[in-house]
Amino acid sequence: MGLAQIYAGMVANGNSLQLERCTYSGFSKTYSANNFTTDSGAGGTALACGIKTKNGMIGMGPDSVAVASILELSEKNKLSTGIVVACAVTHATPASFIAHQVNRDMNEEIATDYLKSDIDVFIGGGRKYFEDRTDGRNLTNELKAKNYQIAYDLNAVKAIKSGKLAGLLYEDQNPGMPERGSMLPDATLAAIDILANNKKGFFLMIEGSQIDWAGHDNNSVQMIKEVLDFDQTIGHVLDFAKKDGNTLVIITADHETGGMTILNGKFNSDKMNALFSTKNHSGVPVPVFAYGPGAENFSGFMENISFKAKLQKLLNLKN
């Protein structure tokens, strides 16, 4: 999600987005350890673990040594933790916060890493990597043994108000918009409901995963649908943060996809003259938006590896 993706959503939505409520903004430099243009494995790992790594690697440095993520540090310091995504929970970005693997395509190994963690809530797709595995293990049975409540649809997710929750809502990847309906905003609200029970606080990572996929497809109309779904989710999160008064919200991306440019458009319409320079990622910096206590730390130009240290300091987390 780069500036063009955001502006495309803004134009289609009548010149406004929820994320405009953020009081600070900046840019994140996205290059990886071995490539000017990052992938989501290295980009996600930079945000989660505060290190540059090689494209395709998850939760570890270029030397294949695992590094704790901000989610794992939060967990260790007795905060509640969660992941809500519009893709499989084993996909590169969520995996970067929970797993440690040499290759992002190791979905079954990444699923196993969820069992090694103590994450409170995770909601997305990817059920088959837990239940229909080549090694014959059924990880949902193992999750139940660790006191997780398993939910297979959104209504089941919404019914759970406390305890641990594994929401495996789709066999593999989630459908795109509008097919998946209000899954992302609703699952986000459900996760916040559960995580906010912890008086010490919580860390939650939410991803509007398919903005990227529409970029790979050079499909601006689909991208706008995905941006607006993510922005609706952002609105719910900002409402919670405003009411709570003690919650920091950060919105950014691991990279831009498609090299998108808007040459002409019309407000309140998703029809625009959008050009793409690639079917892949571009190497440009991506926007950062922040709201709440500590938001001022996320303005100006930043390295993508700076987020973990800033959050660790603000949350007062011990290694």
Side-chain angles (χ1 to χ4, degrees), residues 62-318:
D63 54 2
S64 301
V65 174
V67 178
S69 73
I70 185 67
L71 186 147
E72 291 171 308
L73 273 185
S74 300
E75 198 178 273
K76 193 176 161 189
N77 284 263
K78 303 289 185 274
L79 273 67
S80 291
T81 56
I83 286 173
V84 179
V85 289
C87 63
V89 296
T90 56
H91 208 249
T93 306
S96 300
F97 286 80
I98 201 88
H100 306 280
Q101 299 293 342
V102 292
N103 192 306
R104 58 178 289 177
D105 294 330
M106 298 165 72
N107 285 285
E108 292 191 357
E109 290 84 352
I110 290 165
T112 310
D113 280 346
Y114 273 87
L115 277 159
K116 296 174 186 168
S117 82
D118 200 30
I119 187 170
D120 294 274
V121 177
F122 59 98
I123 308 169
R127 182 163 63 235
K128 71 178 188 180
Y129 305 116
F130 290 79
E131 295 184 353
D132 187 20
R133 297 166 55 88
T134 52
D135 62 5
R137 281 173 74 181
N138 185 330
L139 299 190
T140 50
N141 288 339
E142 296 179 40
L143 285 165
K144 284 175 189 168
K146 288 187 74 179
N147 296 319
Y148 282 90
Q149 301 158 93
I150 313 294
Y152 292 122
D153 61 56
L154 202 51
N155 285 333
V157 163
K158 290 181 188 171
I160 295 165
K161 300 295 181 191
S162 62
K164 288 186 176 296
L165 168 62
L168 299 169
L169 308 187
Y170 308 97
E171 189 62 18
D172 193 359
Q173 302 297 348
N174 306 20
M177 287 301 292
E179 288 81 2
R180 72 171 179 274
S182 59
M183 175 264 150
L184 191 65
D186 286 1
T188 296
L189 284 172
I192 290 172
D193 266 356
I194 295 170
L195 298 175
N197 290 327
N198 186 342
K199 296 289 175 271
K200 281 199 79 168
F202 65 88
F203 176 88
L204 173 61
M205 195 287 288
I206 305 154
E207 186 189 32
S209 319
Q210 299 194 34
I211 298 166
D212 167 65
W213 303 3
H216 283 293
D217 291 339
N218 288 181
N219 184 339
S220 60
V221 172
Q222 184 59 30
M223 181 187 291
I224 287 164
K225 291 187 177 90
E226 297 293 346
V227 168
L228 294 180
D229 176 59
F230 184 50
D231 190 61
Q232 188 188 345
T233 308
I234 288 167
H236 289 325
V237 170
L238 290 173
D239 288 346
F240 171 83
K242 185 181 179 185
K243 190 176 170 192
D244 177 69
N246 200 30
T247 295
L248 169 64
V249 181
I250 302 157
I251 302 146
T252 190
D254 45 5
H255 53 74
E256 192 273 346
T257 305
M260 184 185 182
T261 306
I262 305 168
L263 295 184
N264 199 1
K266 190 169 142 205
F267 289 103
N268 290 303
S269 168
D270 63 3
K271 305 288 185 289
M272 53 185 64
N273 185 1
L275 299 183
F276 295 88
S277 60
T278 179
K279 290 270 191 182
N280 291 309
H281 304 164
S282 65
V284 297
V286 291
V288 180
F289 303 90
Y291 175 93
E296 66 280 0
N297 293 281
F298 298 89
S299 61
F301 269 88
M302 292 159 266
E303 291 286 352
N304 59 358
I305 57 173
S306 69
F307 289 78
K308 181 191 173 186
K310 289 177 181 184
L311 288 171
Q312 186 172 353
K313 190 176 175 188
L314 287 164
L315 290 166
N316 196 21
L317 304 178
K318 307 282 184 284

Side-chain angles (χ1 to χ4, degrees), residues 29-67:
K29 302 176 195 177
T30 60
Y31 63 92
S32 71
N34 70 335
N35 207 303
F36 185 82
T37 304
T38 192
D39 86 310
S40 295
T45 297
L47 294 170
C49 304
I51 49 155
K52 295 276 184 187
T53 194
K54 293 178 188 170
N55 282 11
M57 296 181 87
I58 296 290
M60 53 175 55
D63 54 2
S64 301
V65 174
V67 178

